[in-house]
Amino acid sequence: MPEGPSQSEPTWRLGPLQVKRTTDVLALVAFILSSIGLLAQLRDYFRGPSVVLFATEQVDIASTPTWNQFFRGQNFVLFGAVLSYVNSAPTGYNAAVRHEWLRFVIDGNEYQYAAHDYVDTQVVGGKFKSEKKGDAGPFALMAGSAVTHEVLFLPRAVVCANNDEKCKKTRTELKWDDFKMAVQKNPEVRITMGADIYGINPVSVTCTLTIGKKDLDTFEADNWSSPDCHETMSTDFWNIYEAYYVYGAY
């Protein structure tokens, strides 16, 4: 008896690819999964270190003598802040932080200070105390690790990257009395903390201080205060994605 016409095996067409529904599905799934894994590895390879800097919750503001610093006989406003870093890159993609800096905008003028010491500040019996823990300088940020330290920032000659026009326009110092007058006129101070990292773009985070009457009174009476700093959230999509899905910040 003659055989009937043979029936071809059903297939799917995916552009230039033709996949047999019964025999090639598992191979296709394996191909897609391996491609995703390869793309993820390539992304990590070209991305390198992935460093995020978190905003501090408070900023310590005090006169030069209150910080136990001495500047050519002059009294400047100095800042202390806790800087916290995370390097979320996979093993092997370490980062090197070259130096840290702090910019602040007050009464329409922008200033930039440099990291000087690692410190531990406390308020004991209503008195402001600061203990030096070490000299500020370059440090390693290993892949998958976090680093937190409190930094004292003070006036220093600013070294700007060639393409950092904003840095080149900043002033380098603000006297304590001029600072007190400025915050009485405009009590809002925008603070940006940042770090230059070897081989990749700098990282920074911005928060806003609102100087209240209690702070103004403490500046006058005790030459220091520690106002809260409210973070200014980034509008960059990737930064929001990392903050939400990686760090749970939102």
Side-chain angles (χ1 to χ4, degrees), residues 104-106 179 183 186-191 207-211:
F104 61 100
V105 179
I106 182 169
F179 166 78
V183 293
N186 185 353
E188 187 173 279
V189 181
R190 190 173 78 250
I191 302 284
C207 62
T208 301
L209 300 171
T210 301
I211 308 297

Side-chain angles (χ1 to χ4, degrees), residues 74-201:
Q74 299 189 65
N75 187 6
F76 298 107
V77 57
L78 306 184
F79 296 85
V82 175
L83 274 64
S84 299
Y85 302 85
V86 169
N87 181 4
S88 64
T91 302
Y93 296 99
N94 305 325
V97 178
R98 299 177 63 183
H99 59 267
E100 298 163 298
W101 45 265
L102 180 143
R103 290 177 188 163
F104 61 100
V105 179
I106 182 169
D107 197 25
N109 296 314
E110 187 164 10
Y111 303 82
Q112 179 161 327
Y113 282 12
H116 180 66
D117 287 335
Y118 298 133
V119 296
D120 178 27
T121 60
Q122 299 180 20
V123 177
V124 180
K127 299 294 184 180
F128 182 86
K129 293 183 178 296
S130 176
E131 179 182 354
K132 179 176 178 177
K133 294 297 184 179
D135 296 325
F139 61 91
L141 186 55
M142 309 302 288
S145 70
V147 170
T148 298
H149 50 220
E150 187 175 4
V151 184
L152 170 62
F153 296 93
L154 46 71
R156 188 180 296 173
V158 177
V159 179
C160 302
N162 292 332
N163 60 348
D164 194 345
E165 296 300 326
K166 194 170 186 178
C167 171
K168 295 175 184 178
K169 296 177 182 178
T170 58
R171 305 183 182 192
T172 58
E173 59 189 35
L174 179 62
K175 292 183 178 180
W176 176 246
D177 288 339
D178 293 337
F179 166 78
K180 291 191 296 181
M181 291 177 59
V183 293
Q184 287 176 352
K185 291 170 54 180
N186 185 353
E188 187 173 279
V189 181
R190 190 173 78 250
I191 302 284
T192 299
M193 293 149 286
D196 295 333
I197 303 175
Y198 180 78
I200 63 174
N201 292 330

Side-chain angles (χ1 to χ4, degrees), residues 51-54 101 192-195 201-206 231 239:
V51 178
V52 174
L53 172 61
F54 295 98
W101 45 265
T192 299
M193 293 149 286
N201 292 330
V203 294
S204 64
V205 64
T206 299
E231 183 176 358
N239 287 343

Side-chain angles (χ1 to χ4, degrees), residues 210-220 224-228:
T210 301
I211 308 297
K213 184 179 184 305
K214 182 179 179 181
D215 298 305
L216 295 174
D217 291 343
T218 306
F219 287 147
E220 286 295 335
W224 71 272
S225 190
S226 300
D228 294 336

